[in-house]
Amino acid sequence: RVRLVESGGGSVQAGGSLNVSCLATGYDGSFSRPNYMAWFRQVPGKEREGVAAAASRAGTTHYADSVKGRFTISLDNAKNTVVLLMDTLKPEDTGMYYCAAGWVRDPLSRLDYTYWGQGTQVTVSS
């Protein structure tokens, strides 16, 4: 059974940096590895939005326009981890950050992902 566990996050002032990490367990060999891992975020009253995604094999990455140039997603298949490095954080980056994995066609669409973590909170104060 695939499980995703996030760590990191926390509180920071605007302009600062934070990292969030996700460890995936339960893959039954390389053939069961989802083709994408990603980070989504959600604030109360809004839909969960895709922030960044990374392909497991091709090395391709995708970013929401709002985070391009500030966030970097890094996938390590050997360690089954995905890390989101967040720089120059803004108050609007505040939210619950979720790790996701799945066999997807649209890397930043929440509808395509099968596995989800419990989330880790990121709060950016102005």
Side-chain angles (χ1 to χ4, degrees):
R1 177 171 172 268
V2 175
R3 291 188 65 216
L4 305 178
V5 179
E6 300 99 337
S7 61
S11 298
V12 68
Q13 287 191 327
S17 300
L18 279 175
N19 299 339
V20 288
S21 300
C22 174
L23 172 64
T25 60
Y27 291 152
D28 183 18
S30 61
F31 293 106
S32 70
R33 182 185 303 279
N35 70 336
Y36 268 90
M37 292 192 74
W39 286 95
F40 287 74
R41 67 186 178 194
Q42 188 171 21
V43 295
K46 292 190 175 182
E47 289 190 355
R48 194 169 296 186
E49 63 170 348
V51 175
S56 297
R57 294 181 176 85
T60 308
T61 56
H62 305 265
Y63 295 93
D65 288 342
S66 60
V67 306
K68 283 180 181 177
R70 300 188 297 119
F71 289 14
T72 303
I73 188 170
S74 178
L75 178 60
D76 187 334
N77 286 324
K79 297 180 179 179
N80 289 333
T81 59
V82 61
V83 177
L84 186 66
L85 311 175
M86 302 181 287
D87 290 326
T88 320
L89 282 159
K90 304 175 181 180
E92 50 263 44
D93 294 318
T94 295
M96 186 69 77
Y97 280 68
Y98 295 91
C99 178
W103 294 268
V104 309
R105 294 182 180 180
D106 184 350
L108 294 180
S109 171
R110 61 182 174 83
L111 301 178
D112 280 19
Y113 285 85
T114 303
Y115 305 110
W116 293 89
Q118 293 300 307
T120 184
Q121 179 68 34
V122 170
T123 302
V124 184
S125 58
S126 57

